[in-house]
Amino acid sequence: MIADDELAALVRPDSVNKRVYTDPAIFALEMERIYGRAWIYVGHDSQVPNTGDYHTTRLGDQDVVMVRAADGAVKVLYNRCPHKGAKLVSEGDGCAGKFFRCPYHAWTFKLDGTHLGAPMRDGFEGTAYDPTNPQFSMAPVARVDSYRGFVFASQSAEGPSLRDFLGGVASSIDNLCDRSPVGEVEVVGGVFRVLQESNWKVFYENLHDTMHARVTHESSFRAARDEAAAIGEMPFELLIQDGNGEPYTFWEKLELRAYRGGHGYMEGIFDPGAATRDPVARAHFECLSEAVGEERAREVLGMNRHNTILYGSGSPHNVFQQFRVIRPLAVDRTLIEIQLFRCKGAPDAVFDRALTYANLINSPSSNVMPDDVELYRRCQQGNNTRGGEWVSLHRYAGTDRMLPDGAVSTNGTSELPMRNQFAAWREYMLADVPGEAAHAAA
């Protein structure tokens, strides 16, 4: 066991020790103290629309299943049969029907996990087997709650409410849903999966790392510009790749906002005024205006956020209706799942555009994602050498402005988001009360 004072010494106000990325013992503690305490995104309730529908995923190192129970409620259960410990359902989505049935010895369970039956019950007479004893049921995760259809679970019976946990980034979920004329979104289609040979925290840091874009993604934005020059226009498919090539002066002007618990958002990099010019965005604006009025439609579509961080869960993207779910597998293995959402009632072209964005920017075969994956891998490899002990977070350290609802950067190239994430990491790893992560030091 790593002592608390040893853990505390790994995080400084302007740097962190490389062990936080490379030490398997620290990773094991993270699964217990972060993923065992925080509210973690499980899935969207649209993934389990009917009774018996289920969606499998992980809470840290724990396999769980989200299911629509007979009473219509969404439950989250550990994916384990209490008899021999077998996983009850395989990975992915499906329908259990009226009950779960273990494929090993046919023990059955109600959709809320309660023990239903076992074959040849006579063999249990005179033993401690008791179908009413929770020991013989599927175990539920301690707490489950949802926010506008987004289902979260916490393995701790104590801690802040989901709404308190989300804090200021709840507004990003609100905006994603409010882009629908009926205020609802649904997961549509399959899921992109990217396996990264790197620690889970590297992905969170990169989401708001504005200094890397024009360097790491130089090949893709230059190719986009060359193609645009050849055809004489910059269509959407090229525009979204060209965005990474903006000069440093552009990135310096963006707002970075950090909230307690490691959450935050980055101001959008695409022009929100396109709502009245681009044909797809204009159709979306007109449709939304009919439902909520022009003023409200402009407010909703004008919220310009590129990436939001829900620490421990991943990153929803408002404009292009997706959620990059971040699942740690090992100290040097991370699975990214990209879910796509349809804004109910919005023109089909809005979802088509989101699908195009995901394919060209986030998919395993995109022109952009492989750049990031390669650099994440190099970070993991470099931090396993004897070339140094500390990772720098010095950029604009000490200049962040503290506001009542969070911190904001004085420069869009600041490493405020990384410092904020590690302030939360330190609190989770040391705190007695789950989720009581503090703001990053200004």
Side-chain angles (χ1 to χ4, degrees), residues 19-28 30-31 194-202 327-335 373 376-381 383-384:
R19 285 180 60 196
V20 301
Y21 305 102
T22 62
D23 191 332
I26 289 177
F27 178 83
E30 291 171 339
M31 297 304 99
V194 182
L195 182 62
Q196 301 177 355
E197 297 178 351
S198 54
N199 188 268
W200 63 275
K201 296 183 289 296
V202 175
R327 301 299 188 206
L329 301 180
V331 70
D332 57 356
R333 293 291 186 277
T334 303
L335 179 65
V373 173
Y376 302 160
R377 184 175 66 88
R378 292 193 189 191
C379 287
Q380 196 70 27
Q381 291 174 332
N383 280 323
N384 274 304

Side-chain angles (χ1 to χ4, degrees), residues 182-193:
V182 298
E184 296 179 1
V185 296
E186 59 183 346
V187 176
V188 176
V191 176
F192 287 125
R193 289 184 172 87

Side-chain angles (χ1 to χ4, degrees), residues 209-221:
D209 184 338
T210 59
M211 286 295 295
H212 87 282
R214 62 179 289 107
V215 181
T216 301
H217 303 300
E218 183 176 9
S219 62
S220 59
F221 79 71

Side-chain angles (χ1 to χ4, degrees), residues 134-179:
Q135 172 188 344
F136 299 101
S137 293
M138 295 175 67
V141 176
R143 291 187 294 164
V144 178
D145 201 355
S146 66
Y147 187 80
R148 299 198 69 168
F150 291 79
V151 180
F152 292 77
S154 171
Q155 297 185 76
S156 173
E158 300 178 345
S161 68
L162 174 59
R163 184 61 183 83
D164 288 343
F165 172 81
L166 293 174
V169 292
S171 59
S172 291
I173 297 178
D174 287 331
N175 184 256
L176 176 57
C177 296
D178 290 344
R179 288 170 179 266

Side-chain angles (χ1 to χ4, degrees), residues 149 205 274 317 333 354:
E205 296 175 45
H317 195 301
R333 293 291 186 277

Side-chain angles (χ1 to χ4, degrees), residues 16 80 168:
V16 295
R80 176 186 183 272

Side-chain angles (χ1 to χ4, degrees), residues 249-301:
T249 52
F250 170 86
W251 302 103
E252 287 183 317
K253 296 175 183 178
L254 296 182
E255 179 181 281
L256 298 171
R257 180 65 67 93
Y259 295 101
R260 65 184 309 165
H263 310 314
Y265 68 78
M266 169 186 164
E267 186 180 0
I269 66 174
F270 297 107
D271 180 12
T276 58
R277 296 193 301 272
D278 170 74
V280 175
R282 185 167 61 248
H284 191 184
F285 172 74
E286 292 172 353
C287 179
L288 190 60
S289 295
E290 291 180 6
V292 300
E294 285 195 12
E295 182 177 355
R296 175 59 178 159
R298 290 184 187 278
E299 179 183 358
V300 170
L301 298 180

